[in-house]
PDB file of all heavy atoms in Angstrom:
ATOM      1  N   LEU A   1       2.115   6.295  -6.613  1.00  0.00           N
ATOM      2  CA  LEU A   1       2.768   5.845  -5.402  1.00  0.00           C
ATOM      3  C   LEU A   1       2.122   6.542  -4.227  1.00  0.00           C
ATOM      4  O   LEU A   1       1.780   7.655  -4.283  1.00  0.00           O
ATOM      5  CB  LEU A   1       4.295   6.279  -5.453  1.00  0.00           C
ATOM      6  CG  LEU A   1       5.110   5.948  -4.274  1.00  0.00           C
ATOM      7  CD1 LEU A   1       5.204   4.439  -4.098  1.00  0.00           C
ATOM      8  CD2 LEU A   1       6.480   6.559  -4.373  1.00  0.00           C
ATOM      9  N   ARG A   2       1.902   5.740  -3.200  1.00  0.00           N
ATOM     10  CA  ARG A   2       1.276   6.287  -1.994  1.00  0.00           C
ATOM     11  C   ARG A   2       2.015   5.651  -0.752  1.00  0.00           C
ATOM     12  O   ARG A   2       2.088   4.442  -0.711  1.00  0.00           O
ATOM     13  CB  ARG A   2      -0.184   5.968  -1.946  1.00  0.00           C
ATOM     14  CG  ARG A   2      -0.871   6.527  -0.706  1.00  0.00           C
ATOM     15  CD  ARG A   2      -2.345   6.067  -0.709  1.00  0.00           C
ATOM     16  NE  ARG A   2      -2.893   6.400   0.601  1.00  0.00           N
ATOM     17  CZ  ARG A   2      -2.756   5.612   1.610  1.00  0.00           C
ATOM     18  NH1 ARG A   2      -2.214   4.456   1.609  1.00  0.00           N
ATOM     19  NH2 ARG A   2      -3.284   5.964   2.822  1.00  0.00           N
ATOM     20  N   PHE A   3       2.404   6.467   0.172  1.00  0.00           N
ATOM     21  CA  PHE A   3       3.053   6.035   1.413  1.00  0.00           C
ATOM     22  C   PHE A   3       2.026   6.251   2.481  1.00  0.00           C
ATOM     23  O   PHE A   3       1.604   7.352   2.682  1.00  0.00           O
ATOM     24  CB  PHE A   3       4.323   6.725   1.746  1.00  0.00           C
ATOM     25  CG  PHE A   3       5.553   6.274   1.010  1.00  0.00           C
ATOM     26  CD1 PHE A   3       6.130   6.979   0.004  1.00  0.00           C
ATOM     27  CD2 PHE A   3       6.137   5.032   1.445  1.00  0.00           C
ATOM     28  CE1 PHE A   3       7.258   6.439  -0.624  1.00  0.00           C
ATOM     29  CE2 PHE A   3       7.222   4.562   0.772  1.00  0.00           C
ATOM     30  CZ  PHE A   3       7.808   5.283  -0.234  1.00  0.00           C
ATOM     31  N   ASP A   4       1.642   5.197   3.200  1.00  0.00           N
ATOM     32  CA  ASP A   4       0.770   5.295   4.308  1.00  0.00           C
ATOM     33  C   ASP A   4       1.598   5.224   5.595  1.00  0.00           C
ATOM     34  O   ASP A   4       1.982   4.115   5.971  1.00  0.00           O
ATOM     35  CB  ASP A   4      -0.286   4.225   4.261  1.00  0.00           C
ATOM     36  CG  ASP A   4      -1.320   4.308   5.418  1.00  0.00           C
ATOM     37  OD1 ASP A   4      -1.110   5.212   6.275  1.00  0.00           O
ATOM     38  OD2 ASP A   4      -2.248   3.510   5.428  1.00  0.00           O
ATOM     39  N   THR A   5       1.926   6.323   6.165  1.00  0.00           N
ATOM     40  CA  THR A   5       2.768   6.241   7.338  1.00  0.00           C
ATOM     41  C   THR A   5       2.051   6.054   8.651  1.00  0.00           C
ATOM     42  O   THR A   5       2.644   5.818   9.651  1.00  0.00           O
ATOM     43  CB  THR A   5       3.512   7.631   7.476  1.00  0.00           C
ATOM     44  OG1 THR A   5       2.604   8.642   7.609  1.00  0.00           O
ATOM     45  CG2 THR A   5       4.420   7.848   6.256  1.00  0.00           C
ATOM     46  N   VAL A   6       0.659   6.012   8.547  1.00  0.00           N
ATOM     47  CA  VAL A   6      -0.089   5.777   9.727  1.00  0.00           C
ATOM     48  C   VAL A   6      -0.722   4.430   9.712  1.00  0.00           C
ATOM     49  O   VAL A   6      -0.918   3.746  10.759  1.00  0.00           O
ATOM     50  CB  VAL A   6      -1.245   6.898   9.821  1.00  0.00           C
ATOM     51  CG1 VAL A   6      -2.083   6.599  11.049  1.00  0.00           C
ATOM     52  CG2 VAL A   6      -0.590   8.212   9.862  1.00  0.00           C
ATOM     53  N   GLY A   7      -1.115   3.980   8.564  1.00  0.00           N
ATOM     54  CA  GLY A   7      -1.722   2.602   8.521  1.00  0.00           C
ATOM     55  C   GLY A   7      -3.145   2.526   8.923  1.00  0.00           C
ATOM     56  O   GLY A   7      -3.605   1.569   9.493  1.00  0.00           O
ATOM     57  N   ASN A   8      -3.915   3.596   8.621  1.00  0.00           N
ATOM     58  CA  ASN A   8      -5.281   3.663   9.034  1.00  0.00           C
ATOM     59  C   ASN A   8      -6.285   3.358   7.979  1.00  0.00           C
ATOM     60  O   ASN A   8      -7.475   3.538   8.134  1.00  0.00           O
ATOM     61  CB  ASN A   8      -5.641   4.941   9.791  1.00  0.00           C
ATOM     62  CG  ASN A   8      -5.455   6.121   8.836  1.00  0.00           C
ATOM     63  OD1 ASN A   8      -4.997   6.028   7.696  1.00  0.00           O
ATOM     64  ND2 ASN A   8      -5.831   7.349   9.312  1.00  0.00           N
ATOM     65  N   ARG A   9      -5.855   2.856   6.860  1.00  0.00           N
ATOM     66  CA  ARG A   9      -6.755   2.531   5.735  1.00  0.00           C
ATOM     67  C   ARG A   9      -6.485   1.029   5.402  1.00  0.00           C
ATOM     68  O   ARG A   9      -5.358   0.595   5.307  1.00  0.00           O
ATOM     69  CB  ARG A   9      -6.437   3.309   4.434  1.00  0.00           C
ATOM     70  CG  ARG A   9      -6.659   4.809   4.580  1.00  0.00           C
ATOM     71  CD  ARG A   9      -8.038   5.175   4.991  1.00  0.00           C
ATOM     72  NE  ARG A   9      -9.078   4.805   4.059  1.00  0.00           N
ATOM     73  CZ  ARG A   9      -9.922   5.586   3.479  1.00  0.00           C
ATOM     74  NH1 ARG A   9      -9.854   6.868   3.679  1.00  0.00           N
ATOM     75  NH2 ARG A   9     -10.816   5.158   2.690  1.00  0.00           N
ATOM     76  N   ALA A  10      -7.588   0.369   5.099  1.00  0.00           N
ATOM     77  CA  ALA A  10      -7.514  -1.061   4.661  1.00  0.00           C
ATOM     78  C   ALA A  10      -7.017  -1.115   3.199  1.00  0.00           C
ATOM     79  O   ALA A  10      -7.333  -0.197   2.383  1.00  0.00           O
ATOM     80  CB  ALA A  10      -8.863  -1.716   4.786  1.00  0.00           C
ATOM     81  N   LEU A  11      -6.287  -2.105   2.853  1.00  0.00           N
ATOM     82  CA  LEU A  11      -5.840  -2.293   1.491  1.00  0.00           C
ATOM     83  C   LEU A  11      -6.989  -2.368   0.505  1.00  0.00           C
ATOM     84  O   LEU A  11      -6.918  -1.931  -0.615  1.00  0.00           O
ATOM     85  CB  LEU A  11      -4.908  -3.544   1.347  1.00  0.00           C
ATOM     86  CG  LEU A  11      -3.613  -3.465   1.967  1.00  0.00           C
ATOM     87  CD1 LEU A  11      -2.835  -4.744   1.785  1.00  0.00           C
ATOM     88  CD2 LEU A  11      -2.737  -2.323   1.393  1.00  0.00           C
ATOM     89  N   SER A  12      -8.165  -2.943   0.949  1.00  0.00           N
ATOM     90  CA  SER A  12      -9.347  -3.005   0.109  1.00  0.00           C
ATOM     91  C   SER A  12      -9.915  -1.659  -0.255  1.00  0.00           C
ATOM     92  O   SER A  12     -10.582  -1.493  -1.244  1.00  0.00           O
ATOM     93  CB  SER A  12     -10.394  -3.850   0.764  1.00  0.00           C
ATOM     94  OG  SER A  12     -10.770  -3.331   1.979  1.00  0.00           O
ATOM     95  N   ASP A  13      -9.589  -0.648   0.565  1.00  0.00           N
ATOM     96  CA  ASP A  13     -10.014   0.763   0.252  1.00  0.00           C
ATOM     97  C   ASP A  13      -9.200   1.307  -0.901  1.00  0.00           C
ATOM     98  O   ASP A  13      -9.685   2.244  -1.621  1.00  0.00           O
ATOM     99  CB  ASP A  13      -9.818   1.681   1.446  1.00  0.00           C
ATOM    100  CG  ASP A  13     -10.742   1.425   2.618  1.00  0.00           C
ATOM    101  OD1 ASP A  13     -11.757   0.735   2.366  1.00  0.00           O
ATOM    102  OD2 ASP A  13     -10.499   1.908   3.719  1.00  0.00           O
ATOM    103  N   LEU A  14      -7.992   0.801  -1.110  1.00  0.00           N
ATOM    104  CA  LEU A  14      -7.053   1.425  -2.063  1.00  0.00           C
ATOM    105  C   LEU A  14      -6.961   0.691  -3.404  1.00  0.00           C
ATOM    106  O   LEU A  14      -6.500   1.324  -4.352  1.00  0.00           O
ATOM    107  CB  LEU A  14      -5.682   1.498  -1.419  1.00  0.00           C
ATOM    108  CG  LEU A  14      -5.609   2.186  -0.085  1.00  0.00           C
ATOM    109  CD1 LEU A  14      -4.293   2.045   0.573  1.00  0.00           C
ATOM    110  CD2 LEU A  14      -6.029   3.617  -0.183  1.00  0.00           C
ATOM    111  N   ALA A  15      -7.360  -0.538  -3.519  1.00  0.00           N
ATOM    112  CA  ALA A  15      -7.129  -1.303  -4.749  1.00  0.00           C
ATOM    113  C   ALA A  15      -8.316  -2.275  -4.889  1.00  0.00           C
ATOM    114  O   ALA A  15      -8.842  -2.847  -3.978  1.00  0.00           O
ATOM    115  CB  ALA A  15      -5.799  -1.993  -4.725  1.00  0.00           C
ATOM    116  N   SER A  16      -8.634  -2.501  -6.152  1.00  0.00           N
ATOM    117  CA  SER A  16      -9.619  -3.402  -6.520  1.00  0.00           C
ATOM    118  C   SER A  16      -9.024  -4.762  -6.822  1.00  0.00           C
ATOM    119  O   SER A  16      -7.881  -4.859  -7.261  1.00  0.00           O
ATOM    120  CB  SER A  16     -10.439  -2.946  -7.727  1.00  0.00           C
ATOM    121  OG  SER A  16     -11.208  -3.929  -8.279  1.00  0.00           O
ATOM    122  N   LEU A  17      -9.826  -5.858  -6.735  1.00  0.00           N
ATOM    123  CA  LEU A  17      -9.330  -7.215  -7.113  1.00  0.00           C
ATOM    124  C   LEU A  17      -9.140  -7.237  -8.626  1.00  0.00           C
ATOM    125  O   LEU A  17      -8.437  -8.113  -9.158  1.00  0.00           O
ATOM    126  CB  LEU A  17     -10.313  -8.208  -6.642  1.00  0.00           C
ATOM    127  CG  LEU A  17     -10.443  -8.450  -5.173  1.00  0.00           C
ATOM    128  CD1 LEU A  17     -11.546  -9.475  -4.824  1.00  0.00           C
ATOM    129  CD2 LEU A  17      -9.133  -8.962  -4.549  1.00  0.00           C
ATOM    130  N   PHE A  18      -9.809  -6.347  -9.327  1.00  0.00           N
ATOM    131  CA  PHE A  18      -9.815  -6.318 -10.811  1.00  0.00           C
ATOM    132  C   PHE A  18      -8.888  -5.353 -11.389  1.00  0.00           C
ATOM    133  O   PHE A  18      -9.191  -4.738 -12.451  1.00  0.00           O
ATOM    134  CB  PHE A  18     -11.250  -6.167 -11.332  1.00  0.00           C
ATOM    135  CG  PHE A  18     -12.192  -7.162 -10.751  1.00  0.00           C
ATOM    136  CD1 PHE A  18     -13.093  -6.749  -9.761  1.00  0.00           C
ATOM    137  CD2 PHE A  18     -12.213  -8.502 -11.104  1.00  0.00           C
ATOM    138  CE1 PHE A  18     -13.984  -7.650  -9.187  1.00  0.00           C
ATOM    139  CE2 PHE A  18     -13.084  -9.404 -10.533  1.00  0.00           C
ATOM    140  CZ  PHE A  18     -13.971  -9.006  -9.553  1.00  0.00           C
ATOM    141  N   THR A  19      -7.794  -5.052 -10.758  1.00  0.00           N
ATOM    142  CA  THR A  19      -6.828  -4.055 -11.265  1.00  0.00           C
ATOM    143  C   THR A  19      -5.494  -4.665 -11.337  1.00  0.00           C
ATOM    144  O   THR A  19      -5.178  -5.690 -10.717  1.00  0.00           O
ATOM    145  CB  THR A  19      -6.837  -2.811 -10.350  1.00  0.00           C
ATOM    146  OG1 THR A  19      -6.012  -1.836 -10.887  1.00  0.00           O
ATOM    147  CG2 THR A  19      -6.327  -3.130  -8.947  1.00  0.00           C
ATOM    148  N   ARG A  20      -4.614  -4.001 -12.054  1.00  0.00           N
ATOM    149  CA  ARG A  20      -3.181  -4.457 -12.199  1.00  0.00           C
ATOM    150  C   ARG A  20      -2.321  -3.776 -11.206  1.00  0.00           C
ATOM    151  O   ARG A  20      -1.079  -3.911 -11.211  1.00  0.00           O
ATOM    152  CB  ARG A  20      -2.738  -4.284 -13.576  1.00  0.00           C
ATOM    153  CG  ARG A  20      -3.421  -5.193 -14.567  1.00  0.00           C
ATOM    154  CD  ARG A  20      -2.843  -5.073 -15.943  1.00  0.00           C
ATOM    155  NE  ARG A  20      -3.362  -6.020 -16.805  1.00  0.00           N
ATOM    156  CZ  ARG A  20      -3.163  -6.112 -18.066  1.00  0.00           C
ATOM    157  NH1 ARG A  20      -2.362  -5.226 -18.649  1.00  0.00           N
ATOM    158  NH2 ARG A  20      -3.723  -7.001 -18.884  1.00  0.00           N
ATOM    159  N   GLN A  21      -2.833  -2.993 -10.290  1.00  0.00           N
ATOM    160  CA  GLN A  21      -2.008  -2.333  -9.308  1.00  0.00           C
ATOM    161  C   GLN A  21      -1.271  -3.277  -8.478  1.00  0.00           C
ATOM    162  O   GLN A  21      -1.765  -4.343  -8.109  1.00  0.00           O
ATOM    163  CB  GLN A  21      -2.939  -1.458  -8.356  1.00  0.00           C
ATOM    164  CG  GLN A  21      -3.451  -0.174  -8.960  1.00  0.00           C
ATOM    165  CD  GLN A  21      -4.285   0.539  -7.954  1.00  0.00           C
ATOM    166  OE1 GLN A  21      -5.228   0.013  -7.448  1.00  0.00           O
ATOM    167  NE2 GLN A  21      -3.865   1.809  -7.734  1.00  0.00           N
ATOM    168  N   LYS A  22      -0.064  -2.929  -8.154  1.00  0.00           N
ATOM    169  CA  LYS A  22       0.740  -3.724  -7.304  1.00  0.00           C
ATOM    170  C   LYS A  22       0.779  -3.084  -5.894  1.00  0.00           C
ATOM    171  O   LYS A  22       1.030  -1.870  -5.822  1.00  0.00           O
ATOM    172  CB  LYS A  22       2.146  -3.877  -7.844  1.00  0.00           C
ATOM    173  CG  LYS A  22       2.205  -4.688  -9.121  1.00  0.00           C
ATOM    174  CD  LYS A  22       3.646  -4.756  -9.562  1.00  0.00           C
ATOM    175  CE  LYS A  22       3.708  -5.538 -10.898  1.00  0.00           C
ATOM    176  NZ  LYS A  22       5.091  -5.637 -11.358  1.00  0.00           N
ATOM    177  N   LEU A  23       0.530  -3.827  -4.874  1.00  0.00           N
ATOM    178  CA  LEU A  23       0.635  -3.304  -3.514  1.00  0.00           C
ATOM    179  C   LEU A  23       1.800  -4.004  -2.847  1.00  0.00           C
ATOM    180  O   LEU A  23       2.028  -5.209  -2.855  1.00  0.00           O
ATOM    181  CB  LEU A  23      -0.633  -3.619  -2.768  1.00  0.00           C
ATOM    182  CG  LEU A  23      -1.900  -3.010  -3.313  1.00  0.00           C
ATOM    183  CD1 LEU A  23      -3.146  -3.538  -2.533  1.00  0.00           C
ATOM    184  CD2 LEU A  23      -1.865  -1.526  -3.226  1.00  0.00           C
ATOM    185  N   LYS A  24       2.686  -3.126  -2.294  1.00  0.00           N
ATOM    186  CA  LYS A  24       3.871  -3.597  -1.578  1.00  0.00           C
ATOM    187  C   LYS A  24       3.867  -3.077  -0.200  1.00  0.00           C
ATOM    188  O   LYS A  24       3.550  -1.950   0.035  1.00  0.00           O
ATOM    189  CB  LYS A  24       5.114  -3.175  -2.355  1.00  0.00           C
ATOM    190  CG  LYS A  24       5.225  -3.644  -3.747  1.00  0.00           C
ATOM    191  CD  LYS A  24       5.945  -4.942  -3.804  1.00  0.00           C
ATOM    192  CE  LYS A  24       6.119  -5.300  -5.294  1.00  0.00           C
ATOM    193  NZ  LYS A  24       6.665  -6.575  -5.467  1.00  0.00           N
ATOM    194  N   THR A  25       4.352  -3.873   0.729  1.00  0.00           N
ATOM    195  CA  THR A  25       4.557  -3.425   2.043  1.00  0.00           C
ATOM    196  C   THR A  25       6.061  -2.959   2.179  1.00  0.00           C
ATOM    197  O   THR A  25       6.912  -3.607   1.702  1.00  0.00           O
ATOM    198  CB  THR A  25       4.345  -4.552   3.074  1.00  0.00           C
ATOM    199  OG1 THR A  25       2.986  -5.019   2.904  1.00  0.00           O
ATOM    200  CG2 THR A  25       4.470  -4.116   4.497  1.00  0.00           C
ATOM    201  N   PHE A  26       6.226  -1.852   2.785  1.00  0.00           N
ATOM    202  CA  PHE A  26       7.511  -1.285   2.944  1.00  0.00           C
ATOM    203  C   PHE A  26       7.717  -0.976   4.432  1.00  0.00           C
ATOM    204  O   PHE A  26       6.980  -0.208   5.037  1.00  0.00           O
ATOM    205  CB  PHE A  26       7.627   0.065   2.185  1.00  0.00           C
ATOM    206  CG  PHE A  26       8.898   0.778   2.309  1.00  0.00           C
ATOM    207  CD1 PHE A  26      10.022   0.329   1.627  1.00  0.00           C
ATOM    208  CD2 PHE A  26       8.993   1.898   3.090  1.00  0.00           C
ATOM    209  CE1 PHE A  26      11.178   1.044   1.731  1.00  0.00           C
ATOM    210  CE2 PHE A  26      10.185   2.602   3.219  1.00  0.00           C
ATOM    211  CZ  PHE A  26      11.301   2.171   2.541  1.00  0.00           C
ATOM    212  N   ILE A  27       8.687  -1.659   5.033  1.00  0.00           N
ATOM    213  CA  ILE A  27       9.026  -1.479   6.397  1.00  0.00           C
ATOM    214  C   ILE A  27      10.427  -0.928   6.578  1.00  0.00           C
ATOM    215  O   ILE A  27      11.354  -1.395   6.012  1.00  0.00           O
ATOM    216  CB  ILE A  27       8.884  -2.801   7.251  1.00  0.00           C
ATOM    217  CG1 ILE A  27       7.446  -3.337   7.083  1.00  0.00           C
ATOM    218  CG2 ILE A  27       9.291  -2.652   8.687  1.00  0.00           C
ATOM    219  CD1 ILE A  27       7.219  -4.701   7.669  1.00  0.00           C
ATOM    220  N   VAL A  28      10.501   0.154   7.285  1.00  0.00           N
ATOM    221  CA  VAL A  28      11.769   0.822   7.424  1.00  0.00           C
ATOM    222  C   VAL A  28      12.608   0.097   8.511  1.00  0.00           C
ATOM    223  O   VAL A  28      12.037  -0.168   9.582  1.00  0.00           O
ATOM    224  CB  VAL A  28      11.576   2.284   7.851  1.00  0.00           C
ATOM    225  CG1 VAL A  28      12.938   2.986   8.123  1.00  0.00           C
ATOM    226  CG2 VAL A  28      10.911   3.054   6.766  1.00  0.00           C
ATOM    227  N   SER A  29      13.814  -0.184   8.193  1.00  0.00           N
ATOM    228  CA  SER A  29      14.733  -0.742   9.122  1.00  0.00           C
ATOM    229  C   SER A  29      15.985   0.106   9.197  1.00  0.00           C
ATOM    230  O   SER A  29      16.885  -0.032   8.379  1.00  0.00           O
ATOM    231  CB  SER A  29      15.065  -2.187   8.642  1.00  0.00           C
ATOM    232  OG  SER A  29      15.134  -3.098   9.676  1.00  0.00           O
ATOM    233  N   PRO A  30      15.983   1.174  10.010  1.00  0.00           N
ATOM    234  CA  PRO A  30      17.081   2.122   9.974  1.00  0.00           C
ATOM    235  C   PRO A  30      18.414   1.438  10.334  1.00  0.00           C
ATOM    236  O   PRO A  30      18.467   0.498  11.143  1.00  0.00           O
ATOM    237  CB  PRO A  30      16.746   3.128  11.081  1.00  0.00           C
ATOM    238  CG  PRO A  30      15.537   2.643  11.765  1.00  0.00           C
ATOM    239  CD  PRO A  30      15.040   1.455  11.072  1.00  0.00           C
ATOM    240  N   ASN A  31      19.417   1.899   9.623  1.00  0.00           N
ATOM    241  CA  ASN A  31      20.787   1.395   9.935  1.00  0.00           C
ATOM    242  C   ASN A  31      21.691   2.584   9.978  1.00  0.00           C
ATOM    243  O   ASN A  31      21.367   3.726   9.676  1.00  0.00           O
ATOM    244  CB  ASN A  31      21.262   0.385   8.879  1.00  0.00           C
ATOM    245  CG  ASN A  31      21.252   0.988   7.457  1.00  0.00           C
ATOM    246  OD1 ASN A  31      21.857   2.022   7.169  1.00  0.00           O
ATOM    247  ND2 ASN A  31      20.500   0.364   6.536  1.00  0.00           N
TER     248      ASN A  31
END
């Protein structure tokens, strides 16, 4: 698990097209 709180890395830096890794976007919506 990796949380990128800054967003300064491209998704292509973190995962290959030939992997089973799942990439999810997580946006905080405080309530």
Side-chain angles (χ1 to χ4, degrees):
L1 177 66
R2 181 182 168 278
F3 278 107
D4 181 357
T5 59
V6 179
N8 62 353
R9 297 301 299 237
L11 288 179
S12 61
D13 289 344
L14 307 173
S16 165
L17 293 174
F18 306 105
T19 185
R20 291 185 174 174
Q21 284 181 302
K22 293 181 181 180
L23 298 174
K24 301 271 185 183
T25 302
F26 177 77
I27 299 173
V28 175
S29 223
N31 59 55

